[in-house]
Every structure is written in C-alpha cells, then in structure tokens.
Amino acid sequence: MINANLNYKVGNTLKEQPSPSDRRLNSSDDLEVSAYLEIAQENRGQSTVRNIKSIDYDEAIVILDYGSQYSRLIARRIRESKVYCEIHPFDVSLDKISHLNIKGFILSGGPASVYEPNAPTLPSFVLGYGIPVLGICYGMQLIAHSLGGDVEASLQREYGHSVLHQNTSNHPLFNNLPQNFPVWMSHGDHVLKLPMGFQCIAYTENSPVAVMGNDNGMIGLQFHPEVVHTEFGNEIIKNFLYLICQCNGNWTSGNFVKESIQKIKDQVGDGRVICALSGGVDSAVVAALIHNAIGERLTCIFIDNGLLRHEEPERVYNTFKNGLGLNLLHINAAQEFVEKLDGVVDPERKRKIIGETFIRIFEESAEQIKNVHFLAQGTLYPDVIESTAGETGPAAKIKTHHNVGGLPENMNLSLVEPLRYLFKDEVREVGSELGLPDEMIQRQPFPGPGLAIRIIGAITNEKLNILRNCDWIVMDEIKSANLYNQLWQSFVVLTDTKSVGVMGDNRTYGYAVAIRAVTSDDAMTADWARLPYEILAKISNRIVNEVPEVNRVVYDITSKPPGTIEWE
Ligand code: XMP
C-alpha cells in the first residue's frame, strides 16, 4: 500500500511557506508509487467504473432524525467517542441502511407530539433488529407511545436545567456517575405511564419519568445528553455506545485513512481522476488521500481566478506542486474573471458569473487530460445531510453558494467523494493524519467567489489590490496574536463608502473598510468575535498607515443571524 508520509515544517506566520526542500516523501515511498503505477499500467484497459455508496465500517450507530435541532450534535458526540454514525430521516427505508453493521439506534427529539394525528412514527425495523435503542425526548415518548405507554402534555413546560435523580445505582447508562446531577431539558410532553416491561430509572422535579428502560436495551431519556449543559452528557453517550451497544470504537482518523485509500483504489481501479483544487482544507485533504491511493493518476486543476488573497496562488502552487508533489495544472484565468465581472454590482450576479466561468474553464482544462473517468470532490457530511433534508429544509434562499464543489454534472465522470461522511473537524484530523502542513489544515474557510464578495459594488483591479493589502495586515496581526485558530473566519470587507479624514495637516478622502471576525461551529450561525481592543487598534493603525487608499476602519459587530458572515 502506498503510505506516503508527508511531513512539512511550516511556520506559524503568514510569511513562511513550505519550500520544496521541506518535502520528506522518502525514496521507498516513491518506489512503491512507481511499482504501483507499473501494475496499473499493465491493467489498463480492464478498468471498471465503480461507485462507493457509503462507508461500510465494522460498526455503526444510526440516528433517526425526527426534526430535532440537535440531531447533528448527537452525531458529533458519537463520532467524538470514536464510533461511526449516520443520520437518516425517521422514515428511511431499511435497504438504505442495511449494509451497515448497526449496533444501536438513536431516535432524536423533534417538535411533534406523539399523540397528534400524522405524528412521525417508529419504523417497524427498529424493534425488529433486536439491538439497543436510545430515544431522546420525542424519541423516548415515541418508544413509550408505540409500546403501550401513555404520553401527555406536561402542565408545565420544562426548559433548561433540572436535577436528575437516579432511582437505581447500577444502570449501565449511568456507570460511574453521581446519583444526582444537572441535565438539560426542553419538552412540553412527558411519559405518564410506562410501557410494559419498562422501569423508571430516573426522575426530575417536573418529569416523574425522566429516564426509562427495559431489559432489552431500550432506553428513553427525557433530557438531552448531547448538549453541553447536561453535565456528564458525554459519559452517558459513551456508556450507551460501549456498555450497552458493545461498540469497539474503531472510528479513528488512522483507520479512516487506511480504509479510504483502499476504497479509492477499489473504486478507481486503474482509471484517472481529476480534482479541482482551491487551496482550502477540503480539496487539499481529498487530493492528498487520492494521491496516496493512486499517485500520478490524479491530476489537480487549480484555477487562479484573480480573486485570491495576497500571494495565494503562489502559496497554493508551492504547497501542492513542490511540497506534495501533486500533478497540478495551474490555470491563470485572472484577467478573464475580472473582465467578466466588470461593472457588476449585484452579489448574486457576481456569484453566477464566477460559477459559470469556473465551470467552463474547468471543463476545457479537463479535456486536455486524457482517459479521465473520475471527478473528485470535497463534499462533506453536512452537505449530504442538507441535501437529504432538502425537501423539508428552509425554503428561503439567502445566497447561492458557489464553490469548487459545484462542478458540472454532465461531464460523464463518476464522482469520488472520500469525505462524504465526515464533519469539518474530522476532515482536519484526517489532513493531520496524512501529514499535511498545519497551516493548510487549520486554514479558515475562504468562499469560492473569493474577494469578489468582499468588495461591495463593482470590482476593479485597484480595489482588489487595496483589499489584498488590508487583508494581509489583518491575517498577520491575527496570527501574531495567536487568534487565527480560535476564529472561524477573520477578514476585511472593502465598502463602497468614502469618507473624509485628516493625516498630518492634510485632508484625505479614502475608503472605509470593515473588519469581520466571527466564531462559529459550522457557519450556520456565528457570533462576532470579541477581539481585544489592542489588536483592533493595531489593525486599524496599520491599515490607515500602510494602505494609502483607506482612511477609516470599522469593526462589524453583527452576529449571524441576523447578519451573514460575508457581506454579500
Ligand atoms: P454566509 O455569508 O452565508 O457564509 O454566512 C457562510 C459560510 O460560507 C462561506 N461562503 C461561501 N462559500 N461559496 C463558498 O464556497 C460562496 O458563494 C460562499 N458564500 C459564503 C462563507 O465564507 C462562510 O464560511
């Protein structure tokens, strides 16, 4: 197996870049690559096109989603406990999940009441599997309702902290936990009568049955173990996984890398793969994984759209071509993009033009590479969940997100999506396992349309340069203050407002720029970062002194919602 150990020495500051001499792919790895290539060469012509449907890990937990705002959080907690899990809509058909070795089901919470007409129901296969089931909130009420218990509206809605009191001292779910501890509640209904064979395991002041269970590993929790406010929530989830479902905990980034490489080899056979590289963490990890699996038969395409940050094209090229030794096609299309965007003010039009231009150039470049059957993409699990929940999801379109993942569907290529089942932080762990430089792995997200959506109004080369200079200063100061990794994003927006200032004895009339720095877990919501005043002062000082076209700096103190992270 090709197991290239790619290690790089990369400094923390923006100015340091990996140099070709930092590459430490040892010669035996190179030998393995070429040996593999020879075998692949011999097999050429017998290629079969296979698609991986899903990951077949030796164990999995399936979360059935009843519409809870916390379903993803449950998944995160399980993955953090080193167990693979998938979220599916509650009415998923059995054949979509039967390839998994399911060790337990989790029924999420949800907004409905089990006694309402048309309330979501319990699929019959859940009981038929004969494996542990953990119902959380609505999930618990559903177990009770489906098995002959009674659920009714509580006289008083229970929301926030409550103290859980255990009735027993030996239930495995509470192994090694205190008899009483705070839990987080959010419910209007509660279980009034237990179904046959169930015991009440714990109660709170307002929920006489806060936890119930039977001898077959069916458990109901009225509280939410997945939220941080439930003390010992992680321990409860781990106890369910390890003591009740008997999981082994083999979901580690090391195992993921090994299995993915094998799966990519199986899927691709002796075919060739192309991959659009943006320089961001997702496409970088995809490229590194596939490169590990098929070496030279991967070609990456990097399109410089002229909307990148200071020295970014050089940095991407150096890292991927010279550092990682990837087959890299570097297309400089800066002029074409900027010309097409000339005079365009509307953010959605900007996105559309950039998206279309990108796809056309990508298609043209892909045509130059012969015998390609596969297109690699950095699709992540949240995208997959979002698209399954698509029909019931929020209807209002806020922005059309264009990224390099939105590639043409009519290219007649099979998709290779090795990150399809990962969350962002898991992607970072995999990147680290692959030896990618920290600077690349920890990179803050950068939007596909780049600086175009950070310049309010029409884009010009002059404005792009002003923004690049400001952005460079912000990155430098944020990194020097060791804040970079704590922020989801930190950047500058060039507004279309000019204002009067005074420098020395002279009047100035320059641009106002806005600094945006946010914290977030997944970009769905975000909070403006409480940056220290000293850092803001330094940034402001440097920008007005070092970028002559700018004479005013403001700090954006809007969260999402109601704002969005980017201004356009
Ligand atoms: P908003 O501005 O919608 O951004 O709060 C949420 C996250 O998405 C990024 N973003 C984009 N990414 N193409 C992308 O690839 C886009 O068109 C786009 N618009 C916003 C944004 O940087 C943030 O991380």
Side-chain angles (χ1 to χ4, degrees):
M1 188 176 77
I2 301 158
N3 185 14
N5 222 347
L6 303 161
N7 286 319
Y8 298 89
K9 230 189 317 173
V10 175
N12 292 331
T13 67
L14 203 67
K15 285 146 200 145
E16 292 180 56
Q17 294 168 19
S19 74
S21 60
D22 282 324
R23 183 169 178 234
R24 301 219 191 96
L25 183 63
N26 66 38
S27 53
S28 65
D29 290 322
D30 279 332
L31 272 178
E32 274 190 89
V33 173
S34 51
Y36 184 80
L37 278 173
E38 274 168 33
I39 298 166
Q41 206 68 39
E42 280 168 24
N43 293 340
R44 200 169 298 280
Q46 303 162 16
S47 132
T48 47
V49 175
R50 279 160 290 202
N51 269 316
I52 299 173
K53 277 221 182 88
S54 172
I55 291 180
D56 304 316
Y57 278 95
D58 353 351
E59 60 180 20
I61 295 290
V62 166
I63 300 167
L64 295 181
D65 184 10
Y66 285 88
S68 167
Q69 50 174 325
Y70 298 134
S71 296
R72 279 198 209 180
L73 205 50
I74 304 173
R76 293 295 312 117
R77 297 283 173 259
I78 296 173
R79 300 266 186 108
E80 279 161 18
S81 306
K82 303 202 180 329
V83 174
Y84 179 68
C85 70
E86 290 187 4
I87 305 177
H88 290 276
F90 73 91
D91 54 356
V92 64
S93 67
L94 182 56
D95 60 350
K96 289 234 168 89
I97 53 173
S98 57
H99 62 283
L100 297 166
N101 177 16
I102 307 173
K103 292 270 189 87
F105 286 105
I106 294 189
L107 316 176
S108 82
S113 285
V114 287
Y115 45 76
E116 280 170 353
N118 304 323
T121 52
L122 188 65
S124 56
F125 62 73
V126 170
L127 299 175
Y129 250 83
I131 55 173
V133 180
L134 178 70
I136 298 176
C137 200
Y138 182 84
M140 169 190 187
Q141 294 154 14
L142 191 60
I143 294 176
H145 182 71
S146 311
L147 298 180
D150 278 341
V151 176
E152 63 162 24
S154 315
L155 286 178
Q156 199 180 338
R157 218 183 123 72
E158 202 178 7
Y159 186 81
H161 274 119
S162 291
V163 176
L164 188 81
H165 304 279
Q166 292 187 55
N167 288 324
T168 64
S169 57
N170 58 1
H171 196 283
L173 194 69
F174 299 117
N175 186 43
N176 279 334
L177 299 186
Q179 277 300 110
N180 314 307
F181 57 89
V183 294
W184 184 260
M185 292 284 195
S186 173
H187 65 112
D189 291 347
H190 67 202
V191 172
L192 182 69
K193 190 184 111 204
L194 290 166
M196 190 116 84
F198 278 75
Q199 281 180 355
C200 174
I201 295 165
Y203 64 93
T204 65
E205 195 181 337
N206 289 315
S207 295
V209 184
V211 180
M212 63 175 199
N214 70 5
D215 291 343
N216 300 328
M218 290 201 91
I219 299 173
L221 303 181
Q222 189 54 77
F223 65 89
H224 289 270
E226 68 277 18
V227 304
V228 286
H229 314 286
T230 292
E231 214 176 321
F232 308 116
N234 281 343
E235 285 79 356
I236 293 169
I237 287 173
K238 278 194 183 132
N239 286 339
F240 177 70
L241 299 174
Y242 288 100
L243 301 182
I244 296 171
C245 300
Q246 311 288 329
C247 291
N248 301 313
N250 54 12
W251 177 252
T252 60
S253 47
N255 284 346
F256 175 84
V257 167
K258 264 190 251 148
E259 299 207 20
S260 299
I261 289 176
Q262 191 51 51
K263 280 175 197 288
I264 292 165
K265 286 181 180 178
D266 289 347
Q267 184 190 6
V268 169
D270 61 359
R272 290 191 162 267
V273 181
I274 49 170
C275 172
L277 203 67
S278 67
V281 60
D282 304 340
S283 61
V285 172
V286 167
L289 261 179
I290 299 180
H291 181 68
N292 269 259
I294 63 163
E296 292 294 306
R297 285 178 293 126
L298 166 71
T299 305
C300 296
I301 302 178
F302 169 58
I303 299 173
D304 175 0
N305 57 13
L307 307 167
L308 301 174
R309 291 163 293 186
H310 187 52
E311 290 180 0
E312 197 162 15
E314 297 86 329
R315 212 163 37 241
V316 172
Y317 189 80
N318 272 335
T319 312
F320 290 93
K321 179 81 179 176
N322 302 334
L324 287 178
L326 295 186
N327 234 336
L328 182 64
L329 211 58
H330 178 184
I331 316 280
N332 185 346
Q335 203 180 337
E336 184 173 344
F337 277 90
V338 176
E339 274 170 13
K340 286 212 163 125
L341 288 166
D342 187 31
V344 179
V345 171
D346 177 56
E348 284 299 281
R349 271 219 21 89
K350 285 183 184 173
R351 278 194 168 78
K352 196 158 184 290
I353 291 169
I354 294 167
E356 283 173 3
T357 311
F358 181 87
I359 287 172
R360 202 187 41 69
I361 297 176
F362 184 81
E363 279 176 332
E364 278 169 17
S365 328
E367 266 172 27
Q368 296 169 20
I369 308 158
K370 299 289 170 235
N371 300 324
V372 176
H373 292 112
F374 297 92
L375 172 68
Q377 293 202 132
T379 314
L380 302 194
Y381 198 40
D383 309 328
V384 176
I385 302 174
E386 222 98 277
S387 58
T388 351
E391 296 94 64
T392 50
K397 187 172 87 177
I398 311 296
K399 297 176 187 182
T400 317
H401 278 206
H402 159 259
N403 59 28
V404 290
L407 289 169
E409 281 165 14
N410 57 355
M411 285 185 76
N412 243 343
L413 298 173
S414 299
L415 290 180
V416 185
E417 296 179 308
L419 310 182
R420 210 178 148 73
Y421 292 90
L422 300 196
F423 290 99
K424 189 89 177 181
D425 51 344
E426 291 175 318
V427 173
R428 291 196 160 118
E429 271 178 42
V430 169
S432 189
E433 185 72 34
L434 286 163
L436 294 179
D438 244 19
E439 194 196 52
M440 189 192 292
I441 296 167
Q442 298 307 337
R443 229 182 78 135
Q444 295 175 354
F446 184 65
L451 299 181
I453 55 167
R454 292 181 181 171
I455 292 175
I456 310 303
I459 292 149
T460 60
N461 277 323
E462 189 213 358
K463 285 184 176 179
L464 280 165
N465 281 333
I466 297 172
L467 183 53
R468 278 192 192 108
N469 291 337
C470 298
D471 189 80
W472 181 259
I473 292 169
V474 169
M475 276 306 131
D476 197 28
E477 289 301 331
I478 294 285
K479 288 193 172 189
S480 305
N482 278 329
L483 292 171
Y484 185 81
N485 292 349
Q486 295 172 42
L487 299 170
W488 177 265
Q489 274 169 296
S490 44
F491 56 90
V492 184
V493 175
L494 178 61
T495 74
D496 55 354
T497 297
K498 282 190 156 185
S499 72
V500 175
V502 51
M503 274 188 108
D505 290 329
N506 292 323
R507 174 187 191 271
T508 60
Y509 188 58
Y511 283 108
V513 296
I515 311 298
R516 182 84 166 129
V518 295
T519 54
S520 175
D521 285 330
D522 53 10
M524 302 288 287
T525 58
D527 197 8
W528 61 276
R530 274 47 171 184
L531 289 183
Y533 281 171
E534 311 82 68
I535 306 294
L536 288 170
K538 262 192 185 167
I539 288 173
S540 161
N541 240 330
R542 279 192 61 188
I543 289 180
V544 292
N545 279 301
E546 294 174 34
V547 187
E549 299 87 349
V550 177
N551 68 355
R552 194 173 294 269
V553 178
V554 298
Y555 188 47
D556 180 351
I557 53 167
T558 322
S559 294
K560 173 183 178 176
T564 54
I565 296 178
E566 306 287 346
W567 275 32
E568 288 202 332

